[in-house]
Amino acid sequence: MRIDIITIFPEMFDGPFNHSMIKRSQAKGLAEIHIHNLRDYSDNKHRKVDDYPFGGGAGMVMMIQPIADCIDKLKSERNYDEVIFMTPDGSLFDQPMANKLSMATNLIIMCGHYKGIDERLRENYFTSEISIGNYVLTGGELAAAVVTDAVIRLLPGVLSDETSALSDSFQDNLLSPPVYTRPSEYNGWIVPDVLMSGNEKEIKKWQYEKAVERTRIRRPDML
Ligand code: 6GU
């Protein structure tokens, strides 16, 4: 899978993709992430990417030309399954959306900024608009990193068996059960007996019951 991210803050992606599983996915050739500095596509001698809104009002609007040219160039090089705009008024990102995007071969993710982008781009360039939650971030970069992480970890070969995405919270519409590791007693706090019993069937049953209980208490909306 290839993901092209368009941003005015390319440095913001130095951290998130150069560690752990996402770094490994790239090293293994399972994922390619390309960061594009939107200013490189500006026709303007000052590398301007925004302008005042028609009709007035506070904040700047990202203009069509640099974004359109960047997307056109990428599209001339390969076919994209989705051209995504990250915006707080987009569709709320969830696990089913991550699952669907993980089947794609090529994705473009555009990070929004300022007051927004020219509406004509939204009407003519993007195939979907995504928000990661009901709060406002300073820009789409962190949100794009969240979506990229959630999608790439689903690619076959990125996670090892023991951290298989199939047992994630949300994949089976249940939160994950509690987990424990050594020591079996700490400060008088003990690990549930069943987990120490070696009885695989009883353990599975306990984990399922705990998952249901935890979901009922914390996220009744998921049941
Ligand atoms: Cl995609 N962008 C911004 N700026 N804020 C957000 C968001 C995106 N998703 C949730 N809040």
Side-chain angles (χ1 to χ4, degrees):
M1 158 175 283
R2 174 181 170 123
I3 302 182
D4 290 275
I5 298 178
I6 307 169
T7 173
I8 55 168
F9 292 121
E11 301 81 7
M12 282 187 75
F13 295 95
D14 290 348
F17 301 146
N18 290 317
H19 301 280
S20 185
M21 301 295 180
I22 305 304
K23 178 182 182 174
R24 203 171 72 185
S25 72
Q26 295 173 90
K28 281 174 144 184
L30 301 169
E32 263 181 56
I33 304 172
H34 297 265
I35 310 293
H36 305 275
N37 187 344
L38 184 62
R39 293 190 191 282
D40 294 343
Y41 295 84
S42 174
D43 277 348
N44 180 275
K45 66 171 186 280
H46 301 111
R47 292 161 52 90
K48 197 166 103 108
V49 294
D50 61 339
D51 210 334
Y52 295 99
F54 281 128
M60 303 291 274
V61 176
M62 293 179 93
M63 55 203 219
I64 298 181
Q65 180 272 315
I67 297 172
D69 284 2
C70 182
I71 295 174
D72 286 346
K73 174 163 186 288
L74 291 171
K75 280 183 171 175
S76 74
E77 292 163 351
R78 65 195 66 75
N79 291 320
Y80 285 90
D81 302 275
E82 298 267 3
V83 183
I84 300 164
F85 177 48
M86 300 306 304
T87 175
D89 60 0
S91 310
L92 212 49
F93 188 59
D94 60 9
Q95 193 62 50
M97 284 167 83
N99 294 349
K100 181 169 171 246
L101 290 175
S102 75
M103 319 268 249
T105 308
N106 299 305
L107 296 173
I108 291 174
I109 306 181
M110 164 74 209
C111 306
H113 257 276
Y114 309 117
K115 199 177 166 190
I117 62 173
D118 192 301
E119 186 67 18
R120 291 166 291 181
L121 282 165
R122 299 178 70 162
E123 288 165 357
N124 296 296
Y125 268 89
F126 297 104
T127 60
S128 60
E129 302 192 322
I130 298 179
S131 161
I132 62 160
N134 294 322
Y135 40 80
V136 180
L137 304 169
T138 56
E141 281 75 13
L142 293 173
V146 165
V147 169
T148 300
D149 185 289
V151 169
I152 286 183
R153 68 185 288 284
L154 295 171
L155 300 177
V158 172
L159 300 185
S160 56
D161 277 351
E162 72 260 33
T163 50
S164 155
L166 287 174
S167 62
D168 287 342
S169 282
F170 297 105
Q171 279 300 20
D172 46 10
N173 275 311
L174 288 177
L175 299 180
S176 295
V179 294
Y180 302 84
T181 187
R182 285 183 288 184
S184 59
E185 190 259 313
Y186 182 93
N187 211 15
W189 306 326
I190 53 161
V191 173
D193 282 342
V194 60
L195 296 180
M196 317 296 282
S197 69
N199 185 333
E200 199 67 24
K201 195 166 155 245
E202 283 301 311
I203 292 171
K204 284 268 171 301
K205 180 165 167 273
W206 181 88
Q207 287 172 329
Y208 177 73
E209 286 167 2
K210 285 290 173 189
V212 172
E213 177 187 273
R214 184 160 272 199
T215 309
R216 184 168 44 74
I217 293 166
R218 298 183 182 201
R219 292 294 305 274
D221 58 294
M222 286 171 63
L223 291 174

